[in-house]
Amino acid sequence: MSSLTPFARLDGDEFSLVLDLRADAAEPVYFGPSLPMAEDLASLCDVLRRGLHASQPDRPAPRSLLPWAGHGHLCAPSIVVQQNGRPLTLRMPLVAISQREGDLCLQHRDDALGLSVQIELRIAHGGLVEFSTQMQNQGTQPIGLISLASLTLPLPSWATHMVRYAGRWSGEMQQQRLALHQGAITSASYGGRPGFGGGNWVRIETAGTGELHGDALAAHLAWSGDHVLSVECNADGDATLTMAARLEPGEIMLAPGDTFCAPRALVAVSAQGIASLRHAFHAHVLGAVVPDTAASTPRKVHLNSWEALAFDQSLDKLCALADRAAALGIERFVLDDGWFAGRRDDTTSLGDWVADPGIFPEGLDPLIDHVRRSGMDFGLWVEPEMVSPDSALYRAHPDWCLYLPDHPRLTQRNQLVLDLTRPEVSGHLFACLDRLLADHAIAYLKWDHNRDLFPLAGKSHAQVVALYALLDRLRAAHPEVEIETCASGGGRVDLEILERCSRFWASDNNDPFERLQINAGWFDFLPMRIAGNHVGPSPNPITGRQVAMDFRAKVAMFGHMGVEADPGGMSAEDRQCLAAHIALYKQWRDVLHAGRLWRLSPADAGVHALLAMHEGRGIALIAQTRQAATYDEPHIRFPGLEDDALYRVALLPPYCEKAKGQLSQARTYAEGTVLSGRALRLAGISLPLQYPETAWLVSIERGADS
């Protein structure tokens, strides 16, 4: 007979989670807005419990946080183990709970097998709930772990739809809204990283949920390797969300006394629409995840050399490019791929991390000194986890890559993957990077990862853990250096790697039409402050689309702004336009990067509208990407303001020349007009958005007396 208390609750500032423990399991019966502390939990759990129907076990299995097979659970089990190649049948009841303020720990145990599973629920910064799950082998025989879910969450009855984030290279984080149905909606990655599909991010909601209304829940698996995500609906209409690291068979063997810690999962819940979830995740990322420099220091405008020069590098060309960058107001010059020994194309030299003497006969310092004299700091591209078969490193150590004996060593992008689990490999990489950072004034590393991991060689999980250790060691030695996580764009972006990185590269695709859509997905979870967002060339090298500088620059302002194009190839008018937007970004980046982010109505498929609001100041981007269905688009309305306060509303120059002549009150918009927060929320403003490639910047500033 269990001595557990019958109920437990976890309360944040704005939510309550109630667990029914009467069936020796942790069964969530309520997860939503805060309940009174005096709430009768027994009555609440009783009125929410369903009666039996004709086709159920006599004692229905509870919808618990740890379902296991063989107990009548109508969903996938949270835990699968084996011994000597045979599956083990578990009985894993809840045996103990402990609770402190903001923390609830649930202990499950199978006495016959000597296995225990602990699930800890902790209120994290921003009002998220962090789920941490670990399994320990307390028996006498080794046990093979096939899977252990980081999160198994029975979903509330209001859950009818999910938004998942699918995609591909150059088209990441595309939002797909699906109605839940009987069966499973599943996504997984198999390349040793989360991949371009974004399947470790998900939102659950009602049919009518919007920006400011409706029930919704968002979840994330903080893991930089392979994952599995599933939303499964059973025949009773119950839906369950499961998130887990995907493990290779035989990869995790637990000897007696060993413990396996699953990656963390984070969950936010809202009864006031999607915006509340966004704000909770943004607050969590800036307050508890990214390094302090990323959360507090101004985000410098970058120029990356890739689209300007690619492999066609020389000291003279790079210095001239740096001069052109400084003239625009650029604050950081980043030397991309092509700087190291023998690297003339993408077929060679990865792993040989010394400056090419043909380009830099005196090393990197002459370029770095030139960049710093120009008023910029210096950043450098590296891809430490990879090796070219045509490299000095591979010729010296062909066994340092991930491979299977007697199998061909298949390449991707002419690369193999270094086995970071080998201490000599990680030690060598640390020595190379440490030497670069110790010998040169390098403020930033663009850490790229351009290849899937295959073969995994039974080391998928261990490779990710070894990567974290390498990054931790490097950051401890050089805490002032900022690191960007890049994996051919957004192929490896999660909150675990962002604990070690100051920003992420959202996509290799700088086409502003595509970036608006890509960024919309990322901004559901991650703040603009850490999202690399650059002005690319026109025509765009990926889409071929030609886009005016005014539109490219306005879109790039809403993120961590940069330039990935050669200013020398721009017209004087484009350079002037770009410089004006860079100056505007510097003027407003405190608001862009510290403010709450709102998505504005209308939610027309062709209109992308965002507002960042901070301490009474706001800046909005309203961008039209296709021809409007009507001559006059619906008014743009602004949430996030104080109803009774007065705000000065103005359009920020430079204006889109194509649409400027259609402004109904050009002088009023230029000088600014004063409206109440209520009027801006309920009525809004009218802007000409008839043409594709039209973008406006709107400033909203609260009056001093408001």
Side-chain angles (χ1 to χ4, degrees):
M1 189 72 176
S2 173
S3 61
L4 293 170
T5 60
F7 312 101
R9 62 184 291 170
L10 186 68
D11 292 279
D13 290 340
E14 298 181 5
F15 74 86
S16 296
L17 172 62
V18 177
L19 301 174
D20 188 340
L21 311 179
R22 290 177 294 184
D24 293 344
E27 185 175 9
V29 296
Y30 177 83
F31 190 17
S34 296
L35 297 174
M37 293 307 297
E39 192 73 58
D40 185 335
L41 299 186
S43 295
L44 178 68
C45 291
D46 285 344
V47 299
L48 291 176
R49 184 168 297 281
R50 295 173 180 162
L52 285 171
H53 62 69
S55 181
Q56 277 186 298
D58 295 332
R59 186 183 177 188
R63 299 182 64 213
S64 78
L65 296 175
L66 190 74
W68 67 87
H71 196 224
H73 289 282
L74 295 181
C75 67
S78 286
I79 177 172
V80 178
V81 292
Q82 65 178 13
Q83 197 169 64
N84 299 322
R86 301 180 65 181
L88 295 175
T89 300
L90 296 168
R91 186 178 184 278
M92 191 72 68
L94 180 66
V95 295
I97 67 168
S98 59
Q99 188 159 17
R100 297 169 297 178
E101 184 177 355
D103 185 282
L104 177 64
C105 186
L106 307 166
Q107 192 74 35
H108 305 74
R109 189 165 60 242
D110 186 316
D111 290 325
L113 294 175
L115 279 179
S116 70
V117 172
Q118 176 180 291
I119 302 175
E120 183 179 4
L121 288 69
R122 183 179 68 87
I123 299 175
H125 187 91
L128 276 64
V129 181
E130 179 182 285
F131 289 75
S132 300
T133 303
Q134 64 180 35
M135 186 180 82
Q136 184 178 40
N137 182 1
Q138 299 173 339
T140 60
Q141 300 297 320
I143 287 180
L145 178 61
I146 304 302
S147 65
L148 177 64
S150 295
L151 175 70
T152 302
L153 183 63
L155 295 173
S157 60
W158 51 253
T160 61
H161 288 72
M162 70 178 289
V163 177
R164 66 177 181 181
Y165 297 82
R168 60 174 177 83
W169 173 75
S170 78
E172 297 90 334
M173 289 298 278
Q174 304 297 304
Q175 300 177 61
Q176 295 181 342
R177 193 168 194 266
L178 306 171
L180 302 185
H181 54 75
Q182 188 172 337
I185 302 173
T186 301
S187 65
S189 65
Y190 296 88
R193 58 186 184 181
F196 299 112
N200 51 346
W201 311 88
V202 68
R203 192 170 77 236
I204 308 295
E205 58 195 33
T206 65
T209 295
E211 178 74 1
L212 299 170
H213 63 273
D215 293 308
L217 178 151
H220 168 62
L221 180 70
W223 178 242
S224 308
D226 284 331
H227 71 276
V228 178
L229 178 150
S230 175
V231 178
E232 185 176 10
C233 296
N234 63 27
D236 289 341
D238 295 327
T240 302
L241 168 64
T242 303
M243 305 182 86
R246 194 185 66 79
L247 304 176
E248 292 290 292
E251 182 177 4
I252 304 297
M253 293 295 298
L254 296 181
D258 283 355
T259 298
F260 175 82
C261 297
R264 297 170 299 127
L266 295 118
V267 180
V269 67
S270 167
Q272 297 176 322
I274 299 163
S276 293
L277 302 177
R278 185 185 311 120
H279 299 159
F281 266 93
H282 288 194
H284 178 76
V285 171
L286 294 179
V289 177
V290 294
D292 290 343
T293 53
S296 60
T297 58
R299 302 288 78 203
K300 294 186 175 183
V301 183
H302 287 202
L303 184 132
N304 184 288
S305 69
W306 179 251
E307 295 295 353
L309 295 175
F311 294 112
D312 185 21
Q313 296 181 11
S314 71
L315 183 58
D316 288 344
K317 289 179 180 179
L318 288 164
C319 287
L321 180 62
D323 291 341
R324 295 192 291 271
L328 292 174
I330 302 290
E331 299 164 299
R332 174 172 289 160
F333 183 88
V334 181
L335 175 59
D336 207 281
D337 194 0
W339 60 270
F340 47 97
R343 185 72 162 177
R344 295 296 181 270
D345 55 40
D346 65 1
T347 67
T348 181
S349 302
L350 282 175
D352 301 339
W353 301 112
V354 293
D356 190 298
I359 303 172
F360 304 103
E362 299 177 53
L364 290 173
D365 280 342
L367 174 61
I368 295 174
D369 292 343
H370 184 89
V371 166
R372 288 165 61 85
R373 284 194 301 269
S374 300
M376 301 179 288
D377 65 22
F378 181 79
L380 190 67
W381 178 94
V382 291
E383 193 173 2
E385 299 161 75
M386 306 302 167
V387 64
S388 302
D390 181 10
S391 67
L393 179 65
Y394 186 79
R395 285 187 286 272
H397 301 285
D399 59 331
W400 278 14
C401 68
L402 285 172
Y403 70 96
L404 292 172
D406 303 322
H407 284 248
R409 300 188 182 188
L410 302 176
T411 58
Q412 180 179 335
R413 292 174 58 110
N414 306 297
Q415 305 170 195
L416 297 168
V417 183
L418 289 171
D419 184 352
L420 303 187
T421 70
R422 299 178 62 154
E424 64 272 29
V425 176
S426 288
H428 171 78
L429 291 177
F430 173 78
C432 291
L433 296 169
D434 179 60
R435 188 182 310 115
L436 275 171
L437 297 178
D439 292 350
H440 305 291
I442 297 171
Y444 161 92
L445 287 179
K446 182 179 176 69
W447 187 297
D448 213 341
H449 182 278
N450 282 314
R451 186 197 192 278
D452 292 322
L453 274 61
F454 61 86
L456 292 170
K459 296 183 177 183
S460 172
H461 185 273
Q463 179 82 354
V464 177
V465 174
L467 167 65
Y468 294 156
L470 175 59
L471 285 167
D472 290 342
R473 186 181 177 192
L474 192 66
R475 287 194 63 244
H478 303 278
E480 75 286 354
V481 175
E482 296 185 4
I483 300 174
E484 175 183 78
T485 176
C486 174
S488 298
R492 187 172 66 187
V493 182
D494 63 89
L495 296 194
E496 192 65 42
I497 203 163
L498 283 173
E499 286 197 356
R500 299 156 173 87
C501 297
S502 297
R503 79 172 204 160
F504 69 97
W505 187 228
S507 179
D508 282 348
N509 193 342
N510 280 322
D511 182 315
F513 282 42
E514 304 301 324
R515 262 305 182 99
L516 285 166
Q517 189 67 34
I518 292 167
N519 289 345
W522 288 122
F523 292 164
D524 275 353
F525 296 91
L526 299 175
M528 292 191 292
R529 169 179 274 274
I530 62 169
N533 198 26
H534 290 186
V535 174
S538 182
N540 183 272
I542 289 177
T543 67
R545 186 181 282 127
Q546 299 188 51
V547 183
M549 177 58 74
D550 180 83
F551 193 87
R552 283 181 279 158
K554 282 182 168 61
V555 170
M557 283 178 59
F558 275 65
H560 183 174
M561 188 179 190
V563 177
E564 199 134 353
D566 185 0
M570 301 174 189
S571 67
E573 292 79 6
D574 277 359
R575 286 195 298 273
Q576 183 180 10
C577 179
L578 178 54
H581 283 89
I582 289 173
L584 200 61
Y585 167 82
K586 293 177 182 178
Q587 179 184 345
W588 284 91
R589 62 183 157 192
D590 60 330
V591 174
L592 286 164
H593 295 158
R596 282 192 164 188
L597 186 64
W598 305 86
R599 204 170 305 284
L600 308 182
S601 62
D604 188 330
V607 176
H608 297 260
L610 300 171
L611 168 67
M613 198 76 199
H614 180 60
E615 296 181 349
R617 297 180 70 220
I619 182 170
L621 169 70
I622 296 98
Q624 172 67 277
T625 59
R626 70 180 191 187
Q627 184 175 349
T630 60
Y631 288 107
D632 296 306
E633 282 288 298
H635 296 168
I636 303 295
R637 296 183 290 172
F638 298 88
L641 310 180
E642 298 175 34
D643 268 7
D644 296 328
L646 297 178
Y647 296 86
R648 179 169 294 277
V649 182
L651 292 181
L652 295 173
Y655 297 160
C656 173
E657 289 296 325
K658 182 167 55 177
K660 184 170 69 173
Q662 293 184 316
L663 277 172
S664 60
Q665 301 291 333
R667 183 173 178 179
T668 298
Y669 272 132
E671 295 176 353
T673 188
V674 176
L675 293 168
S676 70
R678 183 171 301 168
L680 289 167
R681 177 172 62 87
L682 298 176
I685 65 174
S686 176
L687 289 174
L689 292 167
Q690 179 183 349
Y691 299 122
E693 204 179 314
T694 298
W696 298 100
L697 296 174
V698 181
S699 68
I700 300 175
E701 300 189 75
R702 188 178 59 208
D705 297 332
S706 296

